[in-house]
Amino acid sequence: MTPLFAGTVQTHFGGYAPDRSDRHEVTAALRHCLREATVLDEANFDGILVAERHGRSECVAPDPLGLLAAIAAVTSRAFLGTYVHLPLLHHPIGTAEQFAQLDALSGGRAVAGLGAGFHPDYFDLFGAPAERRLTRLVEVVGILRAAWAGQVIDTEWAGRSLRGEVHPRPVEGQIPIWIGAQFPKAIAAAGRIGDGWAVAFPFDQPTWDAHWASYTREAEAAGRRPVSVLSRHCWVADSRETAEQRYAPLWLTEQRYYWDRGQLHHRDFTSAADFTIANAGPNLVLGTPEQCAEQLVDLVRNWRVDVVKIASRVPLGPEPAEVLENWQRIGTEVLPLVRHELTGTSTPPPRPRDLLL
């Protein structure tokens, strides 16, 4: 499979738990999200991804499908995906309708990244049960696939009877489903039910290799082609040192946020003292365009990655104008070098989502 590169439109601004008394800040932040998406599309990224987050004042767009619908109107080529949508907080028929509507609006560019969810505050906010998450996610995937295939729905879900047909339908058959998974049982399920395995937090390579083997085994047993989606933050500068100084401290603060909540597990970070630029370096893509290209090529080859999810912002920054410039540099200076090394051509595929089906 030709490797694909997707940019992440981060929906958090202003640090952690910022005061949102000035409501106009949210409007400005949302408009910036649309501007980022436009730059990503114009700079020939293969995809644009948006996450779902709730109950946090730094997050200006808790509904990724709503934001992606707006992004569909200002883009023309990149696939548009959730990374990830949390269907257990929502009704599965509504989820099926929203993704199919996004697919129609975008001309067949939707990708459904789904996760069981890990944040207890999200389930508390929605009054949704947090038990049997993985089992219920498997049920939702079955409902989505049946709905998009035009089957009459006749099943039970969360104590409710679901009966009838779902409209609209996707533009062309099924919408690719990625399963976000960090732990063994969920990774195995991603192989059985998903069209791809999406990873949010960084792994060390030995852990990745073990999980990849498990995922691949399950996917091939289910008759599915293994597809991996791995996240990396990237910052381009005139030197490696400049890129490290500008971005690594921001990224480390973000990792500490998840470490403090027990959600980050990594061999390089086993205590608070490990959150150093030296330890951050191997887990980031940093440096000149040539250095960043070399790191991305190594990532695709050594980690067997099919889709690289690239992020360039965390809640504390960098500033929006810097982020736009960074996206432009990645798309026009880094990715052509990567594509040429990996495929022999610097030209991106004309319909990147087709490679995911």
Side-chain angles (χ1 to χ4, degrees):
M1 174 177 167
T2 301
L4 301 178
F5 301 91
T8 304
V9 175
Q10 299 283 30
T11 57
H12 40 212
F13 293 80
Y16 298 88
D19 178 10
R20 289 296 187 204
S21 55
D22 182 356
R23 307 297 172 84
H24 296 291
E25 290 180 352
V26 173
T27 299
L30 286 169
R31 288 175 177 167
H32 174 75
C33 288
L34 294 181
R35 181 61 184 141
E36 278 195 43
T38 301
V39 170
L40 289 167
D41 197 50
E42 292 174 348
N44 285 322
F45 277 76
D46 300 305
I48 299 169
L49 300 170
V50 179
E52 178 172 356
R53 299 183 178 93
H54 297 284
R56 295 165 57 178
S57 61
E58 64 264 29
C59 182
V60 301
D63 172 16
L65 285 160
L67 180 57
L68 285 168
I71 288 173
V74 297
T75 60
S76 61
R77 181 184 159 278
F79 68 77
L80 308 179
T82 52
Y83 196 101
V84 293
H85 174 69
L86 305 174
L88 301 189
L89 303 180
H90 310 285
H91 195 290
I93 298 303
T95 297
E97 291 174 337
Q98 283 184 287
F99 272 107
Q101 179 175 288
L102 173 64
D103 201 52
L105 185 62
S106 64
R109 294 186 283 141
V111 174
L114 309 176
F118 61 87
H119 203 310
D121 291 350
Y122 293 3
F123 289 91
D124 290 344
L125 181 63
F126 279 77
E131 299 78 21
R132 299 176 57 250
R133 292 195 300 274
L134 186 56
T135 299
R136 289 164 53 225
L137 178 63
V138 172
E139 294 171 354
V140 169
V141 170
I143 293 170
L144 295 179
R145 292 198 187 277
W148 295 337
Q151 299 176 17
V152 175
I153 305 299
D154 186 0
T155 189
E156 305 293 321
W157 189 80
R160 304 177 185 181
S161 297
L162 311 184
R163 305 284 185 270
E165 295 186 2
V166 175
H167 297 279
R169 308 264 167 76
V171 172
E172 298 175 8
Q174 290 285 333
I175 294 171
I177 293 177
W178 297 341
I179 302 299
Q182 292 287 132
F183 299 101
K185 288 185 178 180
I187 292 168
R192 290 193 297 272
I193 67 172
D195 303 306
W197 167 38
V199 184
F201 294 116
F203 283 132
D204 57 273
Q205 185 147 11
T207 301
W208 167 267
D209 289 342
H211 287 329
W212 171 256
S214 172
Y215 163 71
T216 300
R217 184 167 54 248
E218 295 289 342
E220 291 178 344
R224 300 183 181 280
R225 180 186 62 177
V227 174
S228 61
V229 188
L230 183 63
S231 181
R232 279 292 184 270
H233 286 246
C234 177
W235 196 258
V236 183
D238 293 335
S239 70
R240 169 83 184 193
E241 293 73 20
T242 301
E244 283 184 345
Q245 293 168 4
R246 184 66 189 104
Y247 201 80
L250 302 173
W251 182 84
L252 287 168
T253 300
E254 174 78 345
Q255 301 315 301
R256 286 194 200 97
Y257 177 91
Y258 291 104
W259 166 268
D260 291 343
R261 289 155 180 78
Q263 296 162 358
L264 175 64
H265 304 274
H266 193 288
R267 293 187 184 187
D268 290 348
F269 302 98
T270 60
S271 72
D274 292 335
F275 288 85
T276 65
I277 289 181
N279 278 350
N283 299 290
L284 298 169
V285 177
L286 301 169
T288 65
E290 294 76 15
Q291 289 171 328
C292 288
E294 181 179 0
Q295 292 163 62
L296 288 172
V297 168
D298 287 345
L299 184 71
V300 170
R301 285 177 171 165
N302 297 334
W303 292 53
R304 302 172 299 278
V305 179
D306 298 297
V307 183
V308 181
K309 168 188 174 287
I310 300 175
S312 289
R313 181 160 52 79
V314 294
L316 287 172
E319 293 301 316
E322 294 178 85
V323 174
L324 294 177
E325 180 182 357
N326 192 59
W327 283 136
Q328 185 70 26
R329 294 196 70 179
I330 295 172
T332 61
E333 300 179 40
V334 177
L335 294 187
L337 298 175
V338 177
R339 290 186 177 113
H340 188 271
E341 178 66 22
L342 293 172
T343 68
T345 175
S346 59
T347 304
R351 284 179 53 88
R353 201 197 75 165
D354 291 350
L355 298 173
L356 303 174
L357 295 171

